[in-house]
Each structure stands twice: as C-alpha cells, then as structure tokens.
Amino acid sequence: MGSLGTSFYKSNGPSDPTGPTGKLSNWIHDVSLDAIPQYIRDRAKYLLLDGLACLLVGAQLPGSQLAVRAILGMEPPGHCTISGWADKKISPLQAALLNSTFIQAFELDDWHSEAPLHSNSLVIPAILAAAEHSTYTNGSDYDHRPITGSDMLLASIVGYEVGPRVGLGMYGAHMLTMGWHSGSVFGPSPAAAASAKILRLRPGQIEDALGIACTQAGGLMSAQYESDVKRMQHGFATRNGLMGTLLARTGYKGIKRVYEQEYGGFLTCFTRGNGMKPNARPEEVSKELGEVWKVAGVNVKAYAAMAGTHCTIDCMRELQNKYPSQMKDLTRIEHIIIEMGEASYHHGGWQANRPLAAIGAQMNNAYVGATQLVDGVVLPPQFADDMLDRNEVWDLVAKTECRESHDFKQKFAQRVTITFVEDEAGQGQEHLVVELPGPKGVVPELSNQEIVEKWRALAATVIDNARREKIEDLVLNLESCSDINNLIELLAPLTRNPLATEEKET
C-alpha cells in the first residue's frame, strides 16, 4: 500500500482493496514516475507526440467542423480549449469530446495490439480538459500547484495501462467480433483513470470515478459504414470518463467494485453471451500492474486506415515491390483474395458497395487494398471526396474477395493472392501470393525516430514550422515543462484543413 499506511486506506480507500477494482484504484493513486522504467517513459512521450499530430490534423477536417459547430450551437462558451480553433472555448466535458473526435478524425491514430482501443484519443483530451478545468477552479483538492509536464506524462502512462487491461477482461478483440466498438466500451476507464491521476484523486474517489465512467460505456461498430459518429465514439468515452472523475472529485458516489460485480457489473453485462468460458476475466483488470507495461502494445499507424487493413496494404506493397512488371498493369487482374483473422474479417472484410463514404472506405480491406494498388500510398488525400468514386479503384474492389482464416499462427497475419488473366502472348494465368506476419507498426513497430518523422510530415500540413518545433520540443522534454497550460496554448491557434486547397480553406 506504499507509504500512506492502512489508516489512509480505511478512510480514503476503495471498498475492497483486495479485488480487481480496488487494486487498480490503489495502483492509480500510488504509482509514480520513479516506479516506471525509463524506456516506458521515453516511449510514452513519442506516443503523445503522435496523438498530438492526429489532434492537429483532425481539428479542421470537414467532419470536425460539423461537430464543433453543432456542439457550439448547443453549449454556452466555457473555459476549456478546443484545439486548433483559436479563441473557441467550451465546457471541460465538451472540450474532451471534441478534442478526442479530432484525434479519431482520419484513422491516423494509435491502436492497441492486445485489446483494440485508440489510447491517445481517450487519454490526451481527458488530461488537457481536466488540467485546464483545474486551473479555472483554483487547483485540485490537495493543493493549487500547477499541473506539470511530469504530471501529464505520468497520467498518460496510467491511461495507457488501464485501457488494455479493462479490454482484456472482455477478451479484447472478441468485442469487435460481437459488433461492439471495442475502444468505446473500454474507453471510459482509461479516460477516468488518467484524469483522476491528473487531479490527484484519492483511491476511494478513483473507484467512484471508474464506477461512474463504466456505467456510461457503449458504442456500436455499425457506425463504421457511413456514420460521422464513428469519429466521435471515443469522444463519448472520453467525455464520460472525465465526467466520472469530476463527479467523484466532488464526493459523488459511483458503482463500487464495478469490474467484479456479478449482477449488473461492467464486465458481466458486456460479455454475456459471448461464447467464452468464463464470459469475463475480471482478474485481468489489475493483473501485473507495475510489472508488465501495456504501453509496449500501443502501436502507431503508418497509414490512414483502420488497423485491420494495414497488413493488407503491406501485402500489396510487397507484391508491388517484388513483381513490379506484373503489378504495373492492373487491368490484367482477374481476382484478388485477402485472407485474415477473425477480428479483422468482421471489422473490415465486409462487402463494400459504391458509393462509399470516407469512413467506410477507410474501414474496408478490399477498398484500402485497391487504393494501395492504384495510388501506391494510403494517406489522407486518398479519402478526399473527389477520390472516393474512381472507376479504377472500384473495378479492383469488385474483383476482391475477403475471407476469414484460422490458419495463421500470428494474430495480425494476412495473405493476399492475386490472379491475372492470360496476357497477349497467350501466357497462362499467373498467381502471385504473399503472406506477412503483421503490418508495419507491429512487425516491426515504428521506431521513435519514425514517429517523429510522421509527426513532422503531418504537422507540416496544418501548422507552421515554428509552432511545430515548439510543440515537439515541449513534448519530448515533457519533464521540464512547469505547467501544461503552455502546451494547451500551443495547441489552441487555428489550424488548416489538410484536405483543402488554399482557396477553399476556412
């Protein structure tokens, strides 16, 4: 229990310090940067930089503009920053919602290999809104000192650790197979945990925050086909997690032992009927805290598409590199088979029909694979409105068949087989096959230097170099930052829409 002693936990501790919820609540309160290995702290800073790149790129995309206008139309001005929107400020809950929506706005953000969720879209907005709200309300319950960069780094790591563990309590990716938007279901917990750490809640308050957060969880994966709300569902989770923290901070009581409750508990309700034995694994929530670091499983995307499509992209790239002459004439392609595991198949193996919105295009393996074959890249410009109805892409989509396979030993492995018709010389059919154990970003993971390169490339499309350099320096030296309001101020000024020409920019 650390140096605080048993008397502290009797008056301020969780209801059952020996259960998963209680152990997690105590760990969130007790953990310090000194207890975290240096390589985890370093990696977390680069992950934060990647999240901020996604935040700034997403802030002025058309869907984000719609979201901001809608929320501003229903909410009075507040004191928390909407990043990339200059002087626009709103309540902490809605700032968390919008900033999360920006990070998720174009499928460029991180994902977790064990339990699918997008950690930065849950952690960063909750921390920033909590910190700015705390400044406005004259500090935390404990003291009035500024929230520092070290505080942000520690709270981020707490969020990175909590999210996947809660997801593993539900068998991780199996939630996607069931049709839940897994990250939206897992997400209120890391948002509550990170914001509770920033606001220095006591263990009992943390249990309340988690209990309030979990009762608001949800998210349907059918949002992926054409709905703008897919971009916002992690935002709902972020807002709800922060709400749990802010309510618990005032003394409002949440559900006790929320992860292990049998009747109406978080894990038992969401896993009922999942076909697993046991249905839920509450022990995963607090398993190996401080020993095994889930930060290591946070993967950074190399492409602007759903994570389950990335191995498809890399298979296509491999074929293009190995067989350049054959792959040059796409009209000779007769049939494409993409084989993948269960979660990827249910998430992205569905039949795409023309026309398709950008969100659906980014979620579909056949469409994304065809885009790689046609353009040689899968980045934001490939999903601009005027790019979504190209005959050369849709001709390949019509020739593509996605199949679920249980043959792969590696979790993220995929296989692509391309069959060509006879050529003019009468050569017989040719079959090109490639199988990869996983996509770039997982096998291997993006290095810290590659994350910096991604950050610089994305930031260059939306902000000036001087601002980019200041943000980069602050984040990579986060322990030297005396007040994270300095970061918030750098994120606030207007950003550009990366898909717009100069004439069209708003």
Side-chain angles (χ1 to χ4, degrees), residues 235-249:
F236 297 150
T238 307
R239 177 198 62 194
N240 296 343
L242 177 60
M243 177 181 282
T245 291
L246 296 180
L247 283 171
R249 187 186 187 207

Side-chain angles (χ1 to χ4, degrees), residues 316-324 327:
M316 298 300 186
R317 286 167 58 92
E318 183 77 3
L319 289 170
Q320 289 171 316
N321 291 332
K322 289 179 69 174
Y323 309 102
M327 298 297 293

Side-chain angles (χ1 to χ4, degrees), residues 320 323-329 332:
Q320 289 171 316
Y323 309 102
S325 59
Q326 294 96 320
M327 298 297 293
K328 187 176 182 180
D329 186 1
R332 289 190 58 237

Side-chain angles (χ1 to χ4, degrees), residues 93 96-97 184 187-189 191-192 209 212-218 233-247:
L93 297 182
L97 170 70
S184 300
S189 293
I212 298 168
C214 283
T215 198
Q216 302 175 80
Q233 287 185 168
H234 274 63
F236 297 150
T238 307
R239 177 198 62 194
N240 296 343
L242 177 60
M243 177 181 282
T245 291
L246 296 180
L247 283 171

Side-chain angles (χ1 to χ4, degrees), residues 166-172 174-175 178 180 185-186 265-282:
V166 171
L168 287 171
M170 303 177 177
Y171 292 92
H174 189 67
M175 292 292 285
M178 295 174 66
W180 289 109
V185 175
F186 310 158
F266 178 67
L267 298 182
T268 54
C269 279
F270 274 105
T271 60
R272 184 170 289 116
N274 65 1
M276 303 299 226
K277 293 184 179 181
N279 293 108
R281 303 181 295 184

